[in-house]
Amino acid sequence: MASAAAAGASPGPAAPKSRKSVTGTRKGVAALFLLPALVLLGALVVYPIGYSVVRSFYNASGDGFAGFDNYKALFTDDGIRTALKNNIIWVVFAPTVSTALGLIFAVLTERVSWGTAFKLVVFMPMAISMLAAGIIFRLVYDQDPDKGVANAVWVGVHDTFAQSSAFPKAHPGRDSPLKADAGGFITSAPVHAGQPVTLPLVGVAPDQMPDGAKKAVAAEAEPGKITGTTWQDFTRGKGVGKPGSPDPSELGYAGMRIEAVKDGKVVASAEAAGDGTFTLPASAEGALLRLPASNFKEPYNGVDWLGPALVTPAVIGSYVWMWAGFAMVLIAAGLAGVPRELLEAARVDGANEWQVFRKVTAPLLAPVLAVVVVTLMINVLKVFDLVYIIAPGSSQDDANVLALELYRKGFAEGQPGIASAIAVFLLLLVIPVMLFNIRRLRREVRR
């Protein structure tokens, strides 16, 4: 009966699994879920890096071992050295300026009711691709003021203080009493009081005549004074009009400056009226009349933004336009976490707003500023699109950066070995910045 009772008894509870086996199971499940990501990481990151490192030690065809020759080219090739120099300029200025502007925008917009709308506008360029931004700024920097916004503004400001001439193409016609003189024109014979002078010119398109131009009239003689007319001596139509004298359809050169010159010195000057007439005092008797070069100065055409001297700062400006909003948003988020009681305490203690910002706000934002600067430094080391699109072919060598040179060596010049060496060099430049960022993040977590 004892044996039967034992046989009929229910089995006891199973022995608990060990902690090690449970941990191992969990790790296995985690590894299983991570496996697709690890496969993609290996295929898209690890393998390309490894292949680039290996390929950088081979020649252009890939058949022969080149050793460190490709890496020597990084410091001997003029194009790569220019790219390296420009990358240093990018790393120093682009993150600094973007972060500084982001900090200014974030701090100032806290105090205005329309701050959110302003932040939205500043951040909006982040929604635009680098390709689109490059096309936009290629147009912005166009040399022609009628197309490029930058030069339109620049020329407008310049012309406000230094008006361009309205007669850049004007010149004497046939049988003219004028001859060339140091960029301007001068009469061949001296002038005398009581004998009106004619100074005819041609070469100014009708739609380019000054706004104040009126129908030209022949000057009347005045005792003791030199009088004359300067005008556009041209009438449309074959055989129409009389050369050397104002016709009804011809316009005066309003604003033309006339100088009386004796022995190389200007003794008198005048400015033509709307109808082209002018009057000089008796001191101009026996002088030569000169139309100085300032009358024919070419119109100011702005700055060559995409020329060799300014192309790198111009492209950096477009980058700042895109990424200042990114910096502003991150800094504004950090600013929202700054304890307000600390700021109020500083103000109560007598600190002005600049002192509050410098002694309290900026130190508390230091971790956020570090994140922004490091992120932008990594980003600018890889910049390619903006330089490739904005810089024209004539100055692309001057705007060159390492990522662009990698593309050119690998695809345009058929030197994949050197291109791979540039890729490895870029990786080596990025790694210290990434390590710094990782260490900083770990310190933040420990706090």
Side-chain angles (χ1 to χ4, degrees), residues 7-273:
S10 61
K17 294 182 179 179
S18 66
R19 183 175 299 176
K20 288 184 178 180
S21 63
V22 172
T23 304
T25 303
R26 289 178 178 174
K27 286 183 178 180
V29 173
L32 188 62
F33 277 102
L34 287 174
L35 185 59
L38 292 174
V39 170
L40 287 175
L41 188 67
L44 301 179
V45 178
V46 178
Y47 173 74
I49 290 175
Y51 181 81
S52 296
V53 171
V54 174
R55 188 66 180 82
S56 67
F57 290 103
Y58 284 82
N59 58 17
S61 63
D63 299 331
F65 186 73
F68 286 94
D69 291 346
N70 292 328
Y71 288 94
K72 290 178 183 177
L74 299 181
F75 305 98
T76 57
D77 185 278
D78 290 337
I80 300 176
R81 286 195 297 180
T82 300
L84 182 58
K85 179 195 72 175
N86 287 335
N87 262 102
I88 293 172
I89 295 173
W90 271 87
V91 169
V92 171
F93 290 101
T96 305
V97 176
S98 299
T99 305
L101 284 176
L103 178 60
I104 293 170
F105 292 155
V107 171
L108 294 183
T109 51
E110 267 207 332
R111 301 178 173 274
V112 293
S113 58
W114 41 268
T116 303
F118 180 82
K119 289 177 183 177
L120 177 63
V121 172
V122 174
F123 187 75
M124 198 175 293
M126 285 296 299
I128 303 174
S129 68
M130 286 281 199
L131 173 65
I135 294 172
I136 290 170
F137 274 86
R138 181 66 180 267
L139 296 174
V140 167
Y141 291 133
D142 195 289
Q143 180 68 40
D144 187 351
D146 293 331
K147 298 178 182 177
V149 175
N151 264 341
V153 173
W154 191 267
V155 169
V157 173
H158 174 273
D159 289 350
T160 301
F161 300 98
Q163 187 66 36
S164 298
S165 169
F167 322 107
K169 303 297 182 183
H171 60 275
R174 292 178 298 173
D175 303 324
S176 174
L178 295 167
K179 61 180 181 179
D181 176 71
F185 305 100
I186 195 167
T187 56
S188 303
V191 296
H192 301 284
Q195 299 177 4
V197 183
T198 57
L199 303 177
L201 294 168
V202 295
V204 180
D207 59 345
Q208 297 297 320
M209 291 294 288
D211 293 336
K214 301 177 182 178
K215 290 183 179 181
V217 297
E220 297 180 359
E222 293 186 28
K225 295 182 179 181
I226 307 296
T227 59
T229 306
T230 178
W231 79 102
Q232 173 82 348
D233 189 22
F234 176 78
T235 302
R236 291 184 183 275
K238 187 175 181 180
V240 179
K242 182 180 179 182
S245 63
D247 293 315
S249 62
E250 295 171 351
L251 299 176
Y253 280 141
M256 177 75 76
R257 182 175 176 79
I258 300 97
E259 297 176 344
V261 181
K262 285 184 180 180
D263 300 324
K265 296 181 180 179
V266 177
V267 296
S269 63
E271 192 173 280

